[in-house]
């Protein structure tokens, strides 16, 4: 019996010792992976492409007209730059320098007015050297930019089928704009950007046999472009976090600028029976939007509607030997659009398009006296692209807030109106809109923290 008890005690001791040994071995601890802090410092090189529209006002002593020559077209080129990232009270701040050179197809948009005078202008290339300053939210950089601009300007004026003036020159001036750039993975980033370019004013005196005539030209360009950059020695190992959750309703507001290019023909006027020119209303736009997104993996599909108030106005166009003045306005407009995009981490790159509508007002004056008020609501279509990203500023906005930067081309169609017996006015209304906005999403937090 004693042996049995001793054996049992020995077995029990062995079991307790084994259990104690098992308890002494800690369970493995798995530390959550750390998301690398994204840093924008370093050189980069890239390419870009976009569309541009000129708003180049010309006055001419021959006919006392004031006209906008508005060349329009695509362009593309390359850029190189360097960023420095530091800290500020507002968060990570990025300073940079960038230079770009573009091949351009901006052409057309001239004018044909009395007395048998045709204006045309073209730009084959241009470039900028700019500073950049912006705030970084992890792999997203929102920035302002500005600096030196230069470009090739070709101008021709013919009178009665004969070239009265021709010039091919390099103009210089300044540029200012804004944009958003977001990481795509590895060393690659994508951006969307707007630039306003002012290449100065120039007075031209004509030579014989047209001596005594002169024109004054203002060269102003609006540029909208997307770009792709490769960061040399940057965050080559950077991999975007899982796609953000974009599903659900959102509501927001926006603010931006717009420029019109409304090709217009006035026929039957006694002084000038056929005048062809552009009305170019420009100004500030602002309004609100509401939308809903569906998501499948990284792909995002959505519907959005917006309504905008606008200050776009052109009250400087005068034709008909200086006797017929225009005041063109776009007081409001709106869109109903589909969106399709791809979420790269916390950033949504998207294309958008659909239905557009707006109020168009054209007043016509004869020697300062109003003779027509051509107000109407027009409908048409719109297409564009944008980039939506997280919005954080001093911790005042939570994870359900995003900001977006967007370009829209709006076509409100053509209308023909009777101005007076036998006198008609025909206009085709097209607009270029660049805007930024804030959205509040009603679903779960949209983006992961960095």
């Amino acid at each position: 019996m004693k042996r049995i008890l001793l054996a049992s005690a020995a077995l029990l001791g062995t079991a307790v010792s084994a259990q104690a040994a098992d308890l002494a071995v800690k369970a493995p601890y798995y530390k959550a992976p750390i998301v690398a802090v994204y840093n924008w410092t370093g050189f980069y090189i890239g390419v870009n492409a976009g569309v541009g529209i000129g708003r180049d006002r010309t006055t001419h002593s021959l006919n006392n007209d004031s006209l906008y020559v508005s060349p329009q077209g695509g362009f593309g080129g390359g850029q190189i730059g360097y960023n420095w990232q530091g800290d500020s009270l507002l968060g990570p701040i990025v300073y940079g320098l960038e230079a770009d050179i573009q091949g351009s197809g901006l052409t057309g948009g001239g004018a044909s007015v009395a007395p048998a005078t045709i204006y045309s202008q073209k730009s084959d290339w241009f470039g900028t050297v700019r500073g950049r300053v912006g705030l970084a939210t992890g792999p997203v950089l929102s920035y302002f930019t500005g600096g030196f601009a230069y470009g090739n300007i070709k101008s021709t004026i013919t009178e009665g089928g004969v070239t009265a003036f021709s010039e091919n020159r390099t103009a210089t001036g300044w540029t200012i704009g804004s944009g958003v750039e977001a990481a795509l993975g590895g060393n690659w980033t994508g951006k969307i950007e707007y630039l306003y370019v002012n290449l100065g004013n120039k007075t031209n005196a004509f030579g014989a046999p047209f001596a005594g005539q002169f024109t004054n030209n203002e060269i102003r360009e609006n540029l909208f472009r997307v770009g792709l950059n490769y960061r040399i020695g940057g965050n080559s190992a950077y991999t975007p976090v899982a796609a953000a959750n974009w599903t659900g309703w959102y509501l927001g507001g926006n603010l931006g600028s717009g420029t019109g290019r409304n090709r217009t023909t006035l026929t039957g006027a006694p002084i000038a029976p056929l005048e062809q020119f552009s009305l170019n209303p420009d100004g500030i736009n602002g309004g609100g939007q509401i939308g809903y997104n569906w998501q499948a993996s990284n792909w995002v599909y959505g519907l959005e509607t917006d309504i905008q108030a606008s200050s776009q106005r052109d009250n400087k166009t005068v034709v008909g030997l200086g006797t017929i003045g225009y005041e063109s306005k776009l007081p409001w407009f709106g869109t109903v659009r589909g969106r399709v995009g791809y979420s790269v981490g916390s950033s949504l790159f998207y294309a958008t398009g659909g239905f557009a509508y707006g109020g168009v007002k054209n007043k016509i004056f004869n020697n300062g006296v109003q003779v027509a008020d051509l107000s109407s609501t027009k409908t048409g279509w719109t297409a564009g692209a944008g980039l939506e990203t997280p919005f954080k500023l001093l911790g005042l906005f939570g994870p359900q807030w995003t900001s977006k930067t967007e370009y829209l081309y709006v076509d409100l169609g053509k209308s023909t109106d009777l101005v007076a017996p036998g006198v008609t006015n025909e206009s085709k209304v097209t607009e270029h809109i660049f805007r930024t906005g804030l959205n509040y999403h009603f679903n779960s937090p949209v983006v992961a923290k960095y």
Side-chain angles (χ1 to χ4, degrees), residues 73-146:
F75 63 86
Q79 65 271 355
I80 186 170
Y82 189 90
N83 292 320
W84 297 265
Q85 181 168 329
D87 294 320
S88 73
L89 293 175
L90 299 178
I93 191 167
V94 176
Y95 305 93
L97 289 173
E98 181 174 292
D100 66 271
I101 187 71
Q102 313 291 137
S104 168
L106 271 67
T107 187
S112 176
V113 296
T117 306
I118 299 175
Y119 303 82
S120 65
Q121 189 170 288
K122 182 180 180 182
S123 176
D124 290 330
W125 59 268
F126 63 89
T128 70
V129 180
R130 293 169 286 108
R132 300 203 307 173
V133 59
L135 291 175
T137 304
V140 178
L141 173 64
S142 301
Y143 63 88
F144 292 98
T145 183

Side-chain angles (χ1 to χ4, degrees), residues 33-299:
I34 299 176
V35 178
V37 176
Y38 198 91
N39 191 293
W40 288 87
T41 299
F43 282 101
Y44 62 89
I45 189 169
V47 294
N48 69 80
V51 295
I53 174 176
R55 193 172 188 267
D56 306 334
R57 184 171 171 236
T58 298
T59 58
H60 192 176
S61 64
L62 173 68
N63 49 28
N64 295 315
D65 285 354
S66 171
L67 303 162
Y68 283 105
V69 180
S70 12
Q72 178 178 277
F75 63 86
Q79 65 271 355
I80 186 170
Y82 189 90
N83 292 320
W84 297 265
Q85 181 168 329
D87 294 320
S88 73
L89 293 175
L90 299 178
I93 191 167
V94 176
Y95 305 93
L97 289 173
E98 181 174 292
D100 66 271
I101 187 71
Q102 313 291 137
S104 168
L106 271 67
T107 187
S112 176
V113 296
T117 306
I118 299 175
Y119 303 82
S120 65
Q121 189 170 288
K122 182 180 180 182
S123 176
D124 290 330
W125 59 268
F126 63 89
T128 70
V129 180
R130 293 169 286 108
R132 300 203 307 173
V133 59
L135 291 175
T137 304
V140 178
L141 173 64
S142 301
Y143 63 88
F144 292 98
T145 183
F148 176 71
Y150 57 101
N152 163 252
I153 304 296
K154 295 181 177 179
S155 301
T156 303
I157 300 175
T158 63
E159 298 177 11
V162 178
T163 300
F165 175 82
S166 181
E167 181 181 59
N168 186 353
R169 67 186 178 97
T170 298
T172 60
W174 54 272
T175 180
I176 191 170
S178 63
V180 177
E181 190 168 353
L184 301 175
N187 285 342
W188 294 96
T189 63
K191 70 174 182 178
I192 182 170
E193 183 177 71
Y194 164 75
L195 292 179
Y196 171 79
V197 177
N198 184 323
L199 293 180
N201 301 351
K202 187 173 185 290
T203 298
N204 301 303
F206 291 21
F210 301 92
Q213 294 186 40
F214 64 89
T215 59
N216 184 269
N217 293 15
E218 302 173 356
I219 307 299
R220 313 287 188 264
E221 314 291 337
N222 293 275
L223 309 175
F224 313 89
R225 62 186 178 186
V226 296
L228 184 66
N229 285 331
Y230 181 83
R231 301 184 57 219
I232 301 170
N235 297 46
S236 58
Y238 170 74
T239 301
V241 296
N245 174 25
W246 294 93
T247 301
W249 289 99
Y250 61 90
L251 177 69
N254 66 79
L255 184 69
S257 63
T259 298
R261 184 180 186 266
N262 305 341
R263 298 294 292 160
T264 300
T265 301
L266 181 68
T267 58
I271 295 177
L274 179 61
E275 304 274 273
Q276 296 175 312
F277 51 95
S278 286
L279 298 172
N280 288 64
D282 77 333
I284 303 300
N285 303 317
Q289 67 271 353
I290 186 171
Y292 190 90
N293 291 321
W294 296 265
Q295 187 163 346
S297 185
N298 291 66
W299 289 98

